[in-house]
Each structure stands twice: as C-alpha cells, then as structure tokens.
Amino acid sequence: MKNTITKGFILSGLSNIVAVLILSRFFTNEFIPKYNNIVMSNFGLLMIVVWGFAYISVAKNYSKVKWLVAVFAVEKLIYAIIWILWRLNNGVSTIFDEDIMAGIFYSIYGINDIIFFFFFSYVFVKLFQK
C-alpha cells in the first residue's frame, strides 16, 4: 500500500507539472491567463508547478509529514472549489474556439484537483489513525 501511495504523490506532482507546462506552452499561452487572470496568471501557473514539486518531494516520506498532507488536501479543495465556481459562470466552448490547449486546461484542471483532494484526504486520514 505504501508503494501505491508513493506513486499517487508522484502522479499528483507530475499531473500538475506536465499539464501546466504543456497546456500553457511553457507559460506562453496567452489564453489561459485571459480567462482567469488572478488564479491562472503566469505566476499562478508557476505556483501550480511548485506545488507539483512539493508533492513529489514528500512521495517517499509522506508518513513523516501528515499535517503537510492535510495542507495538500486543503490546497486541492480550494482549487476544486475555484474551478467549480468558475465553471458555473463560464463555458469552455469559446475558449476551445480560441485555443484548444486553454480549452483542455479549463475543462480538466478541476477534475484533477477533485481526484487528488480525495487522495490526499484519504492519506491524511490513514496517517491520522496511526
């Protein structure tokens, strides 16, 4: 089980890093910041990459930092809520018309955050029970 959880941390980190770097075209995609210039500014995208490295950095020692795992869960919950609220007020079809990479980004990033919110929450609960 420990090996599976370690892989989950790595997968979470890589999904942040790879998705942001590819879909933002290494921070040159003008359409991602255009549609949410506060959360998804180039600085915001860079911070998502930094979070990805943070997840990977504790992948093998997550059991020693249970409260940091809780922070990861809260961070993912915040991004998920932001995405849900954004999606309730915005469509992605016009974004797809302008830029397919930005359309993909806005279509999926919250789903990723929801999935890993549950993952980090599960890990935290398991660690807390020990």
Side-chain angles (χ1 to χ4, degrees), residues 8-78:
F9 276 86
I10 294 168
L11 180 62
S12 180
L14 289 176
S15 69
N16 271 35
I17 295 163
V18 172
V20 166
L21 293 178
I22 290 173
L23 296 174
S24 77
R25 295 185 189 96
F26 288 82
F27 309 106
T28 64
N29 186 331
E30 65 187 272
F31 296 102
I32 292 175
K34 176 181 177 181
Y35 288 98
N36 191 340
N37 64 1
I38 295 172
V39 178
M40 297 304 165
S41 65
N42 281 335
F43 175 76
L45 294 172
L46 177 61
M47 291 301 96
I48 292 169
V49 171
V50 169
W51 278 108
F53 284 116
Y55 308 146
I56 292 169
S57 75
V58 301
K60 292 188 178 190
N61 297 303
Y62 66 87
S63 62
K64 297 177 183 175
V65 291
K66 73 178 173 190
W67 290 106
L68 183 58
V69 175
V71 170
F72 291 166
V74 170
E75 180 263 343
K76 287 296 190 184
L77 178 62
I78 291 168

Side-chain angles (χ1 to χ4, degrees), residues 84-98:
I84 290 167
L85 294 173
W86 186 90
R87 290 288 286 132
L88 289 172
N89 295 301
N90 298 275
V92 293
S93 60
T94 55
I95 301 173
F96 272 104
D97 291 342
E98 285 192 291

